[in-house]
Amino acid sequence: PDLVHWPDYAPVDEQGLTDRQLDFVVSQFAGKVTMVDEWFGRLCDRLDAIDAWSDTVVIVTADHGFSLGDHGWLGKTDGPLYDTLAHTPLLIWHPAYSETVDRVDALTSAVDLHPTIASLLGGETNGPHGRSVIPLLEGDAVSIRDAALYGIWGSDINVTDGRYTYHRQCDETRPATVNSTYQLNPRA
């Protein structure tokens, strides 16, 4: 049978994949993770070779996870956003904070990247949503927010305190429009 290299973002049972095809999709994803690991390792090796760790900041994160059959889905779901998709990594190396902290269990969000990077570059931000994670790196704080709101525009929305998550399903009978910018709503 034909092997699917990249599945549709849809429920597994709607794709008609055989067990062999699903296993192949999972193996392709594992191969991509291995490739990223290899090239990130090469980047780190290069930073070692040129002795750049003392004046280099490295930030590694992702915009979302990827379901490989989790909760019956492949790819990004149309809601709900389980941890498989929403719990993304955030790894930060900064030479000034290499001795301060090893791991932080604080709740952060993608919107925190902008104020964090601006702060590292000596700038400031006026945005109401993002918060710099620098106080976490300095060891001066154990959290920067009490809760985080996340979701997919035109779909479900969630709020979490890091322990519990409230999920609100989208009301498909109501229009989901954005008036501040022109965007196409996939549900419209």
Side-chain angles (χ1 to χ4, degrees), residues 80-108:
L81 289 177
Y82 293 104
D83 277 355
T84 305
L85 295 173
H87 192 175
T88 56
L90 176 58
L91 305 154
I92 300 176
W93 163 261
H94 190 295
Y97 307 119
S98 64
E99 303 293 325
T100 312
V101 295
D102 185 43
R103 180 184 173 97
V104 176
D105 288 323
L107 184 63
T108 62

PDB file of all heavy atoms in Angstrom, residues 80-108:
ATOM      1  N   PRO A  80     -10.333  19.912  21.019  1.00  0.00           N
ATOM      2  CA  PRO A  80      -9.650  20.693  22.048  1.00  0.00           C
ATOM      3  C   PRO A  80      -8.126  20.578  21.948  1.00  0.00           C
ATOM      4  O   PRO A  80      -7.607  19.622  21.393  1.00  0.00           O
ATOM      5  CB  PRO A  80     -10.144  20.071  23.352  1.00  0.00           C
ATOM      6  CG  PRO A  80     -10.497  18.672  23.015  1.00  0.00           C
ATOM      7  CD  PRO A  80     -10.961  18.701  21.579  1.00  0.00           C
ATOM      8  N   LEU A  81      -7.459  21.574  22.500  1.00  0.00           N
ATOM      9  CA  LEU A  81      -5.999  21.592  22.480  1.00  0.00           C
ATOM     10  C   LEU A  81      -5.466  20.848  23.699  1.00  0.00           C
ATOM     11  O   LEU A  81      -5.296  21.413  24.771  1.00  0.00           O
ATOM     12  CB  LEU A  81      -5.479  23.028  22.487  1.00  0.00           C
ATOM     13  CG  LEU A  81      -5.687  23.808  21.211  1.00  0.00           C
ATOM     14  CD1 LEU A  81      -5.189  25.237  21.365  1.00  0.00           C
ATOM     15  CD2 LEU A  81      -4.994  23.145  20.052  1.00  0.00           C
ATOM     16  N   TYR A  82      -5.186  19.582  23.516  1.00  0.00           N
ATOM     17  CA  TYR A  82      -4.603  18.800  24.595  1.00  0.00           C
ATOM     18  C   TYR A  82      -3.140  19.206  24.798  1.00  0.00           C
ATOM     19  O   TYR A  82      -2.548  19.875  23.949  1.00  0.00           O
ATOM     20  CB  TYR A  82      -4.691  17.306  24.256  1.00  0.00           C
ATOM     21  CG  TYR A  82      -6.100  16.778  24.217  1.00  0.00           C
ATOM     22  CD1 TYR A  82      -6.738  16.530  23.009  1.00  0.00           C
ATOM     23  CD2 TYR A  82      -6.793  16.533  25.394  1.00  0.00           C
ATOM     24  CE1 TYR A  82      -8.030  16.042  22.969  1.00  0.00           C
ATOM     25  CE2 TYR A  82      -8.089  16.043  25.364  1.00  0.00           C
ATOM     26  CZ  TYR A  82      -8.711  15.804  24.149  1.00  0.00           C
ATOM     27  OH  TYR A  82      -9.995  15.326  24.118  1.00  0.00           O
ATOM     28  N   ASP A  83      -2.543  18.760  25.914  1.00  0.00           N
ATOM     29  CA  ASP A  83      -1.147  19.075  26.203  1.00  0.00           C
ATOM     30  C   ASP A  83      -0.214  18.656  25.080  1.00  0.00           C
ATOM     31  O   ASP A  83       0.833  19.272  24.877  1.00  0.00           O
ATOM     32  CB  ASP A  83      -0.698  18.421  27.513  1.00  0.00           C
ATOM     33  CG  ASP A  83      -1.086  19.245  28.729  1.00  0.00           C
ATOM     34  OD1 ASP A  83      -1.606  20.365  28.557  1.00  0.00           O
ATOM     35  OD2 ASP A  83      -0.851  18.775  29.854  1.00  0.00           O
ATOM     36  N   THR A  84      -0.565  17.618  24.352  1.00  0.00           N
ATOM     37  CA  THR A  84       0.249  17.171  23.218  1.00  0.00           C
ATOM     38  C   THR A  84       0.545  18.331  22.278  1.00  0.00           C
ATOM     39  O   THR A  84       1.633  18.439  21.729  1.00  0.00           O
ATOM     40  CB  THR A  84      -0.490  16.069  22.428  1.00  0.00           C
ATOM     41  OG1 THR A  84      -0.848  15.027  23.318  1.00  0.00           O
ATOM     42  CG2 THR A  84       0.335  15.546  21.286  1.00  0.00           C
ATOM     43  N   LEU A  85      -0.417  19.214  22.101  1.00  0.00           N
ATOM     44  CA  LEU A  85      -0.252  20.365  21.212  1.00  0.00           C
ATOM     45  C   LEU A  85       0.150  21.634  21.948  1.00  0.00           C
ATOM     46  O   LEU A  85       0.937  22.426  21.441  1.00  0.00           O
ATOM     47  CB  LEU A  85      -1.560  20.641  20.465  1.00  0.00           C
ATOM     48  CG  LEU A  85      -2.017  19.556  19.508  1.00  0.00           C
ATOM     49  CD1 LEU A  85      -3.403  19.875  18.975  1.00  0.00           C
ATOM     50  CD2 LEU A  85      -1.038  19.408  18.372  1.00  0.00           C
ATOM     51  N   ALA A  86      -0.389  21.839  23.142  1.00  0.00           N
ATOM     52  CA  ALA A  86      -0.236  23.125  23.814  1.00  0.00           C
ATOM     53  C   ALA A  86       0.978  23.237  24.723  1.00  0.00           C
ATOM     54  O   ALA A  86       1.472  24.334  24.956  1.00  0.00           O
ATOM     55  CB  ALA A  86      -1.503  23.427  24.622  1.00  0.00           C
ATOM     56  N   HIS A  87       1.478  22.141  25.237  1.00  0.00           N
ATOM     57  CA  HIS A  87       2.609  22.186  26.165  1.00  0.00           C
ATOM     58  C   HIS A  87       3.906  22.142  25.360  1.00  0.00           C
ATOM     59  O   HIS A  87       4.443  21.085  25.083  1.00  0.00           O
ATOM     60  CB  HIS A  87       2.529  21.021  27.147  1.00  0.00           C
ATOM     61  CG  HIS A  87       3.468  21.151  28.293  1.00  0.00           C
ATOM     62  ND1 HIS A  87       3.493  20.275  29.326  1.00  0.00           N
ATOM     63  CD2 HIS A  87       4.431  22.057  28.579  1.00  0.00           C
ATOM     64  CE1 HIS A  87       4.418  20.617  30.197  1.00  0.00           C
ATOM     65  NE2 HIS A  87       5.001  21.699  29.749  1.00  0.00           N
ATOM     66  N   THR A  88       4.382  23.311  24.986  1.00  0.00           N
ATOM     67  CA  THR A  88       5.557  23.405  24.120  1.00  0.00           C
ATOM     68  C   THR A  88       6.812  23.686  24.940  1.00  0.00           C
ATOM     69  O   THR A  88       6.739  24.272  26.017  1.00  0.00           O
ATOM     70  CB  THR A  88       5.373  24.520  23.073  1.00  0.00           C
ATOM     71  OG1 THR A  88       5.096  25.740  23.749  1.00  0.00           O
ATOM     72  CG2 THR A  88       4.243  24.182  22.118  1.00  0.00           C
ATOM     73  N   PRO A  89       7.963  23.298  24.421  1.00  0.00           N
ATOM     74  CA  PRO A  89       9.202  23.527  25.159  1.00  0.00           C
ATOM     75  C   PRO A  89       9.635  24.986  25.103  1.00  0.00           C
ATOM     76  O   PRO A  89       9.320  25.709  24.156  1.00  0.00           O
ATOM     77  CB  PRO A  89      10.217  22.652  24.423  1.00  0.00           C
ATOM     78  CG  PRO A  89       9.701  22.600  23.022  1.00  0.00           C
ATOM     79  CD  PRO A  89       8.202  22.600  23.155  1.00  0.00           C
ATOM     80  N   LEU A  90      10.350  25.414  26.111  1.00  0.00           N
ATOM     81  CA  LEU A  90      11.021  26.706  26.112  1.00  0.00           C
ATOM     82  C   LEU A  90      12.356  26.499  26.820  1.00  0.00           C
ATOM     83  O   LEU A  90      12.394  26.297  28.039  1.00  0.00           O
ATOM     84  CB  LEU A  90      10.198  27.795  26.818  1.00  0.00           C
ATOM     85  CG  LEU A  90      10.885  29.161  26.929  1.00  0.00           C
ATOM     86  CD1 LEU A  90      11.267  29.712  25.558  1.00  0.00           C
ATOM     87  CD2 LEU A  90       9.997  30.151  27.677  1.00  0.00           C
ATOM     88  N   LEU A  91      13.416  26.496  26.039  1.00  0.00           N
ATOM     89  CA  LEU A  91      14.765  26.318  26.575  1.00  0.00           C
ATOM     90  C   LEU A  91      15.532  27.608  26.316  1.00  0.00           C
ATOM     91  O   LEU A  91      15.556  28.104  25.178  1.00  0.00           O
ATOM     92  CB  LEU A  91      15.478  25.155  25.887  1.00  0.00           C
ATOM     93  CG  LEU A  91      14.727  23.831  25.925  1.00  0.00           C
ATOM     94  CD1 LEU A  91      15.128  22.954  24.762  1.00  0.00           C
ATOM     95  CD2 LEU A  91      14.990  23.139  27.234  1.00  0.00           C
ATOM     96  N   ILE A  92      16.128  28.153  27.356  1.00  0.00           N
ATOM     97  CA  ILE A  92      16.877  29.402  27.207  1.00  0.00           C
ATOM     98  C   ILE A  92      18.261  29.227  27.812  1.00  0.00           C
ATOM     99  O   ILE A  92      18.390  28.836  28.980  1.00  0.00           O
ATOM    100  CB  ILE A  92      16.165  30.588  27.892  1.00  0.00           C
ATOM    101  CG1 ILE A  92      14.783  30.805  27.275  1.00  0.00           C
ATOM    102  CG2 ILE A  92      17.012  31.852  27.792  1.00  0.00           C
ATOM    103  CD1 ILE A  92      13.962  31.896  27.952  1.00  0.00           C
ATOM    104  N   TRP A  93      19.277  29.512  27.009  1.00  0.00           N
ATOM    105  CA  TRP A  93      20.644  29.593  27.515  1.00  0.00           C
ATOM    106  C   TRP A  93      21.064  31.050  27.468  1.00  0.00           C
ATOM    107  O   TRP A  93      20.948  31.708  26.432  1.00  0.00           O
ATOM    108  CB  TRP A  93      21.623  28.771  26.675  1.00  0.00           C
ATOM    109  CG  TRP A  93      23.037  29.202  26.949  1.00  0.00           C
ATOM    110  CD1 TRP A  93      23.798  30.060  26.197  1.00  0.00           C
ATOM    111  CD2 TRP A  93      23.825  28.860  28.080  1.00  0.00           C
ATOM    112  NE1 TRP A  93      25.012  30.258  26.785  1.00  0.00           N
ATOM    113  CE2 TRP A  93      25.061  29.528  27.953  1.00  0.00           C
ATOM    114  CE3 TRP A  93      23.625  28.045  29.195  1.00  0.00           C
ATOM    115  CZ2 TRP A  93      26.077  29.415  28.897  1.00  0.00           C
ATOM    116  CZ3 TRP A  93      24.628  27.932  30.128  1.00  0.00           C
ATOM    117  CH2 TRP A  93      25.832  28.599  29.970  1.00  0.00           C
ATOM    118  N   HIS A  94      21.491  31.564  28.586  1.00  0.00           N
ATOM    119  CA  HIS A  94      22.051  32.909  28.657  1.00  0.00           C
ATOM    120  C   HIS A  94      23.237  32.821  29.597  1.00  0.00           C
ATOM    121  O   HIS A  94      23.099  32.349  30.731  1.00  0.00           O
ATOM    122  CB  HIS A  94      21.011  33.902  29.189  1.00  0.00           C
ATOM    123  CG  HIS A  94      21.440  35.324  29.064  1.00  0.00           C
ATOM    124  ND1 HIS A  94      22.517  35.841  29.751  1.00  0.00           N
ATOM    125  CD2 HIS A  94      20.948  36.338  28.318  1.00  0.00           C
ATOM    126  CE1 HIS A  94      22.665  37.117  29.446  1.00  0.00           C
ATOM    127  NE2 HIS A  94      21.721  37.440  28.575  1.00  0.00           N
ATOM    128  N   PRO A  95      24.405  33.263  29.162  1.00  0.00           N
ATOM    129  CA  PRO A  95      25.601  33.095  29.989  1.00  0.00           C
ATOM    130  C   PRO A  95      25.503  33.755  31.364  1.00  0.00           C
ATOM    131  O   PRO A  95      26.053  33.237  32.342  1.00  0.00           O
ATOM    132  CB  PRO A  95      26.719  33.711  29.152  1.00  0.00           C
ATOM    133  CG  PRO A  95      26.052  34.511  28.086  1.00  0.00           C
ATOM    134  CD  PRO A  95      24.690  33.917  27.899  1.00  0.00           C
ATOM    135  N   ALA A  96      24.754  34.845  31.468  1.00  0.00           N
ATOM    136  CA  ALA A  96      24.646  35.531  32.753  1.00  0.00           C
ATOM    137  C   ALA A  96      23.834  34.735  33.771  1.00  0.00           C
ATOM    138  O   ALA A  96      23.951  34.961  34.979  1.00  0.00           O
ATOM    139  CB  ALA A  96      24.018  36.912  32.561  1.00  0.00           C
ATOM    140  N   TYR A  97      23.017  33.817  33.280  1.00  0.00           N
ATOM    141  CA  TYR A  97      22.144  33.080  34.180  1.00  0.00           C
ATOM    142  C   TYR A  97      22.491  31.590  34.238  1.00  0.00           C
ATOM    143  O   TYR A  97      21.717  30.790  34.735  1.00  0.00           O
ATOM    144  CB  TYR A  97      20.681  33.252  33.754  1.00  0.00           C
ATOM    145  CG  TYR A  97      20.302  34.703  33.605  1.00  0.00           C
ATOM    146  CD1 TYR A  97      19.884  35.215  32.383  1.00  0.00           C
ATOM    147  CD2 TYR A  97      20.404  35.577  34.685  1.00  0.00           C
ATOM    148  CE1 TYR A  97      19.558  36.550  32.245  1.00  0.00           C
ATOM    149  CE2 TYR A  97      20.080  36.912  34.546  1.00  0.00           C
ATOM    150  CZ  TYR A  97      19.663  37.395  33.333  1.00  0.00           C
ATOM    151  OH  TYR A  97      19.349  38.714  33.200  1.00  0.00           O
ATOM    152  N   SER A  98      23.653  31.222  33.751  1.00  0.00           N
ATOM    153  CA  SER A  98      24.016  29.798  33.696  1.00  0.00           C
ATOM    154  C   SER A  98      24.180  29.180  35.077  1.00  0.00           C
ATOM    155  O   SER A  98      24.019  27.983  35.249  1.00  0.00           O
ATOM    156  CB  SER A  98      25.292  29.611  32.880  1.00  0.00           C
ATOM    157  OG  SER A  98      26.383  30.260  33.512  1.00  0.00           O
ATOM    158  N   GLU A  99      24.478  29.986  36.081  1.00  0.00           N
ATOM    159  CA  GLU A  99      24.653  29.474  37.442  1.00  0.00           C
ATOM    160  C   GLU A  99      23.422  29.707  38.311  1.00  0.00           C
ATOM    161  O   GLU A  99      23.349  29.213  39.429  1.00  0.00           O
ATOM    162  CB  GLU A  99      25.875  30.151  38.104  1.00  0.00           C
ATOM    163  CG  GLU A  99      27.172  29.972  37.331  1.00  0.00           C
ATOM    164  CD  GLU A  99      27.641  28.530  37.310  1.00  0.00           C
ATOM    165  OE1 GLU A  99      27.446  27.828  38.324  1.00  0.00           O
ATOM    166  OE2 GLU A  99      28.195  28.111  36.274  1.00  0.00           O
ATOM    167  N   THR A 100      22.456  30.483  37.825  1.00  0.00           N
ATOM    168  CA  THR A 100      21.303  30.878  38.639  1.00  0.00           C
ATOM    169  C   THR A 100      20.265  29.781  38.763  1.00  0.00           C
ATOM    170  O   THR A 100      19.853  29.437  39.854  1.00  0.00           O
ATOM    171  CB  THR A 100      20.634  32.132  38.037  1.00  0.00           C
ATOM    172  OG1 THR A 100      21.629  33.090  37.743  1.00  0.00           O
ATOM    173  CG2 THR A 100      19.625  32.714  39.000  1.00  0.00           C
ATOM    174  N   VAL A 101      19.813  29.285  37.630  1.00  0.00           N
ATOM    175  CA  VAL A 101      18.752  28.276  37.625  1.00  0.00           C
ATOM    176  C   VAL A 101      19.086  27.165  36.639  1.00  0.00           C
ATOM    177  O   VAL A 101      19.813  27.373  35.670  1.00  0.00           O
ATOM    178  CB  VAL A 101      17.379  28.883  37.260  1.00  0.00           C
ATOM    179  CG1 VAL A 101      16.906  29.855  38.304  1.00  0.00           C
ATOM    180  CG2 VAL A 101      17.403  29.529  35.899  1.00  0.00           C
ATOM    181  N   ASP A 102      18.526  25.999  36.915  1.00  0.00           N
ATOM    182  CA  ASP A 102      18.711  24.863  36.016  1.00  0.00           C
ATOM    183  C   ASP A 102      17.413  24.569  35.276  1.00  0.00           C
ATOM    184  O   ASP A 102      17.403  24.320  34.086  1.00  0.00           O
ATOM    185  CB  ASP A 102      19.152  23.643  36.833  1.00  0.00           C
ATOM    186  CG  ASP A 102      19.477  22.456  35.962  1.00  0.00           C
ATOM    187  OD1 ASP A 102      20.131  22.648  34.917  1.00  0.00           O
ATOM    188  OD2 ASP A 102      19.064  21.337  36.318  1.00  0.00           O
ATOM    189  N   ARG A 103      16.314  24.607  36.022  1.00  0.00           N
ATOM    190  CA  ARG A 103      15.002  24.321  35.451  1.00  0.00           C
ATOM    191  C   ARG A 103      13.967  25.160  36.194  1.00  0.00           C
ATOM    192  O   ARG A 103      14.030  25.309  37.405  1.00  0.00           O
ATOM    193  CB  ARG A 103      14.674  22.837  35.599  1.00  0.00           C
ATOM    194  CG  ARG A 103      13.335  22.454  35.046  1.00  0.00           C
ATOM    195  CD  ARG A 103      13.032  20.981  35.311  1.00  0.00           C
ATOM    196  NE  ARG A 103      11.697  20.665  34.916  1.00  0.00           N
ATOM    197  CZ  ARG A 103      11.370  20.127  33.751  1.00  0.00           C
ATOM    198  NH1 ARG A 103      12.295  19.846  32.872  1.00  0.00           N
ATOM    199  NH2 ARG A 103      10.122  19.871  33.467  1.00  0.00           N
ATOM    200  N   VAL A 104      13.014  25.675  35.445  1.00  0.00           N
ATOM    201  CA  VAL A 104      11.943  26.479  36.021  1.00  0.00           C
ATOM    202  C   VAL A 104      10.621  25.826  35.652  1.00  0.00           C
ATOM    203  O   VAL A 104      10.407  25.489  34.485  1.00  0.00           O
ATOM    204  CB  VAL A 104      11.988  27.931  35.485  1.00  0.00           C
ATOM    205  CG1 VAL A 104      10.821  28.743  36.005  1.00  0.00           C
ATOM    206  CG2 VAL A 104      13.307  28.590  35.837  1.00  0.00           C
ATOM    207  N   ASP A 105       9.751  25.660  36.607  1.00  0.00           N
ATOM    208  CA  ASP A 105       8.452  25.052  36.345  1.00  0.00           C
ATOM    209  C   ASP A 105       7.344  26.093  36.233  1.00  0.00           C
ATOM    210  O   ASP A 105       6.181  25.780  36.424  1.00  0.00           O
ATOM    211  CB  ASP A 105       8.105  24.052  37.460  1.00  0.00           C
ATOM    212  CG  ASP A 105       8.956  22.803  37.376  1.00  0.00           C
ATOM    213  OD1 ASP A 105       9.243  22.363  36.252  1.00  0.00           O
ATOM    214  OD2 ASP A 105       9.334  22.289  38.437  1.00  0.00           O
ATOM    215  N   ALA A 106       7.699  27.327  35.921  1.00  0.00           N
ATOM    216  CA  ALA A 106       6.707  28.398  35.833  1.00  0.00           C
ATOM    217  C   ALA A 106       5.907  28.310  34.542  1.00  0.00           C
ATOM    218  O   ALA A 106       6.374  27.798  33.526  1.00  0.00           O
ATOM    219  CB  ALA A 106       7.399  29.753  35.921  1.00  0.00           C
ATOM    220  N   LEU A 107       4.699  28.817  34.599  1.00  0.00           N
ATOM    221  CA  LEU A 107       3.816  28.895  33.448  1.00  0.00           C
ATOM    222  C   LEU A 107       4.264  30.053  32.557  1.00  0.00           C
ATOM    223  O   LEU A 107       4.369  31.192  33.011  1.00  0.00           O
ATOM    224  CB  LEU A 107       2.384  29.118  33.937  1.00  0.00           C
ATOM    225  CG  LEU A 107       1.270  29.138  32.926  1.00  0.00           C
ATOM    226  CD1 LEU A 107       1.157  27.784  32.227  1.00  0.00           C
ATOM    227  CD2 LEU A 107      -0.043  29.475  33.614  1.00  0.00           C
ATOM    228  N   THR A 108       4.577  29.749  31.305  1.00  0.00           N
ATOM    229  CA  THR A 108       4.940  30.777  30.335  1.00  0.00           C
ATOM    230  C   THR A 108       4.081  30.607  29.097  1.00  0.00           C
ATOM    231  O   THR A 108       3.367  29.626  28.949  1.00  0.00           O
ATOM    232  CB  THR A 108       6.436  30.683  29.945  1.00  0.00           C
ATOM    233  OG1 THR A 108       6.669  29.420  29.332  1.00  0.00           O
ATOM    234  CG2 THR A 108       7.336  30.864  31.158  1.00  0.00           C
TER     235      THR A 108
END
